Amino acid sequence: MKLKNLLYILVVVAVMAVLAFVGYQFFLKKGGVTTPETGTTGSLPTTGGQQFPSSGQSTTTTQGTTTTSSVKFGVVSDGPALDYFVNNANVVTVVRPDGTIESIANSATSSLSNATIPNIITASFSYDGKKILVNSLVGTTTRTSVFDIASQKWTVLPDNMESPVWSPANNEIAYLAPSGYGAETVDTINAGAANPRPVTLTTLTMENMLLQWPMANTLILSDRPSAFVAGSIWKFNIPSRALSSVVFEGLGAESIWNASGSALLFSGDGNNAGGALALQDPAGNRDALSFGTLPSKCVFAAQTTTSTSSTNSIYCAVPIDQSTFQVARLPDEYDQKIYLTNDNFYGIDPSSGSLSNIFSATNANQNIDATDLKVFNNILFFINRYDQKLYAISLL
């Protein structure tokens, strides 16, 4: 491709992204949201103030009469959220987009860190929610720091850590580090140590990769997914240092995993639009699912059903307009916020693939584009891309 033509394409894409963002902000300021699927204006989710559906019920007393009503849906954080964690006591810790950190308990908000951090790339919580990793850009350097909630102190880690991810079982962090000539090292560092030092696991001939750490002994490496560029997904066994292929050279290849080795895999089609979602079991067997959504709009979770047992479940925010989903350039246009969805929520039985309706935004006349789904204490939490606030749906 000639350089002139390439530059023209890049300019056109940039202009489209700017116009989409300006239109998105305009409708938010007007107090309404135009869904890209229908073109109709609806309202942002609201429950009349901050509510936390911790038990699925709300009890009010008026003139001596006690009334109990169902609370299925609630807004947890009135301010924007970048990432969050909820402990067993339903205390919510939120990282704001500016890097400040707050705690929310019984609708009361308190500050944990007032330090602002510009140009944040990612923020994430350790497995137990007691530490927070913030990865940001300082000039041309990638800076990574860890905040300890108990001591309320920051620890600065080595520069230029790419795609840092927490271990699912301890305070170790895995990350990629550029080593030159088209290669990167896969390193780990113990963020709980008094003097954290990197340990190199291997060196691979690949660049600009993404990491996940879903299983104690397994890392997932993947190319950044795109409808226009074929990418691969790999498993890396930490003890043996062995690399095995999951998806090789697939358009739009994207995945999420659980601790047992099951995965949701998204793959695009040959027309650079839409795509299909499949459930893969730990043995590598795949079953196509009957609906379309992105893995980033789903979560694996263990939902407690009795005091002695639990069932593994998958929860997904599914775009209501599936026809529009299948013509969007995925995941590119979704990640760039050119394409926004309007979602309903479903639970998926991984053994049969059957769906159960968890919450209907359609019936509630609400616009929800859900991402960063997590389940704590039988409550499904998510961030709504229309306003960046944190919401919750009771699963009871």
Side-chain angles (χ1 to χ4, degrees):
M1 181 181 291
K2 293 182 179 180
L3 180 59
K4 183 178 180 181
N5 292 337
L6 177 60
L7 290 174
Y8 175 77
I9 292 172
L10 292 175
V11 169
V12 170
V13 171
V15 170
M16 289 175 62
V18 170
L19 290 175
F21 179 78
V22 170
Y24 166 68
Q25 293 296 323
F26 173 78
F27 283 109
L28 285 183
K29 291 178 181 178
K30 284 289 185 181
V33 177
T34 296
T35 69
E37 301 163 339
T38 64
T40 59
T41 300
S43 61
L44 286 172
T46 177
T47 58
Q50 189 179 61
Q51 293 189 31
F52 191 84
S54 57
S55 63
Q57 291 185 333
S58 174
T59 302
T60 58
T61 301
T62 305
Q63 296 180 346
T65 301
T66 300
T67 303
T68 301
S69 59
S70 174
V71 177
K72 184 70 175 178
F73 176 81
V75 53
V76 178
S77 170
D78 283 330
L82 183 63
D83 199 17
Y84 62 94
F85 186 89
V86 184
N87 67 15
N88 291 334
N90 284 329
V91 176
V92 184
T93 304
V94 178
V95 181
R96 303 298 184 190
D98 64 357
T100 59
I101 302 170
E102 294 180 340
S103 175
I104 304 171
N106 299 320
S107 297
T109 301
S110 58
S111 175
L112 299 178
S113 173
N114 290 319
T116 59
I117 304 174
N119 304 318
I120 294 179
I121 303 170
T122 58
S124 59
F125 285 79
S126 60
Y127 76 104
D128 56 3
K130 295 181 179 179
K131 295 182 184 294
I132 304 169
L133 180 153
V134 176
N135 190 237
S136 62
L137 191 63
V138 181
T140 59
T141 300
T142 303
R143 185 72 43 81
T144 304
S145 300
V146 170
F147 180 76
D148 183 271
I149 292 177
S151 66
Q152 298 191 7
K153 293 182 179 179
W154 288 93
T155 299
V156 178
L157 299 181
D159 284 343
N160 294 320
M161 293 172 59
E162 298 178 359
S163 192
V165 290
W166 288 101
S167 160
N170 54 42
N171 288 320
E172 283 191 291
I173 296 168
Y175 63 97
L176 301 169
S179 62
Y181 302 103
E184 291 184 318
T185 60
V186 181
D187 298 345
T188 62
I189 192 167
N190 187 352
N195 186 21
R197 294 183 179 277
V199 175
T200 296
L201 301 179
T202 190
T203 301
L204 301 172
T205 306
M206 52 181 64
E207 290 183 296
N208 200 30
M209 301 288 287
L210 297 174
L211 277 181
Q212 297 180 62
W213 197 345
M215 296 156 275
N217 292 323
T218 305
L219 292 169
I220 304 297
L221 295 94
S222 59
D223 290 301
R224 295 182 184 274
S226 173
F228 304 100
V229 180
S232 301
I233 300 175
W234 306 83
K235 280 185 179 180
F236 177 76
N237 185 283
I238 297 174
S240 68
R241 306 298 197 261
L243 197 65
S244 59
S245 175
V246 178
V247 175
F248 184 72
E249 296 297 312
L251 291 173
E254 184 177 328
S255 66
I256 62 167
W257 299 73
N258 70 359
S260 68
S262 295
L264 280 175
L265 300 174
F266 179 82
S267 57
D269 63 17
N271 297 318
N272 307 113
L277 192 66
L279 176 62
Q280 176 175 291
D281 67 20
N285 302 308
R286 296 178 190 173
D287 289 316
L289 297 178
S290 60
F291 60 91
T293 193
L294 293 169
S296 60
K297 298 174 72 64
C298 297
V299 63
F300 284 97
Q303 179 186 5
T304 301
T305 54
T306 71
S307 59
T308 58
S309 65
S310 65
T311 58
N312 291 320
S313 298
I314 305 167
Y315 299 97
C316 287
V318 179
I320 298 167
D321 186 347
Q322 289 285 291
S323 60
T324 301
F325 180 84
Q326 291 300 337
V327 297
R329 311 296 187 180
L330 298 173
D332 307 64
E333 291 181 343
Y334 185 79
D335 293 340
Q336 296 162 9
K337 290 189 177 179
I338 294 173
Y339 167 59
L340 301 176
T341 66
N342 197 17
D343 305 327
N344 285 335
F345 293 80
Y346 295 89
I348 305 164
D349 183 342
S351 61
S352 65
S354 62
L355 297 179
S356 58
N357 190 296
I358 300 300
F359 181 76
S360 175
T362 306
N363 294 340
N365 191 30
Q366 295 168 338
N367 295 119
I368 300 173
D369 182 353
T371 188
D372 198 14
L373 281 69
K374 301 179 187 181
V375 174
F376 300 99
N377 311 324
N378 281 313
I379 303 170
L380 175 63
F381 295 84
F382 64 91
I383 293 174
N384 187 0
R385 296 209 311 166
Y386 282 113
D387 61 3
Q388 301 303 310
K389 293 181 180 180
L390 178 62
Y391 293 86
I393 299 170
S394 174
L395 298 174
L396 297 177

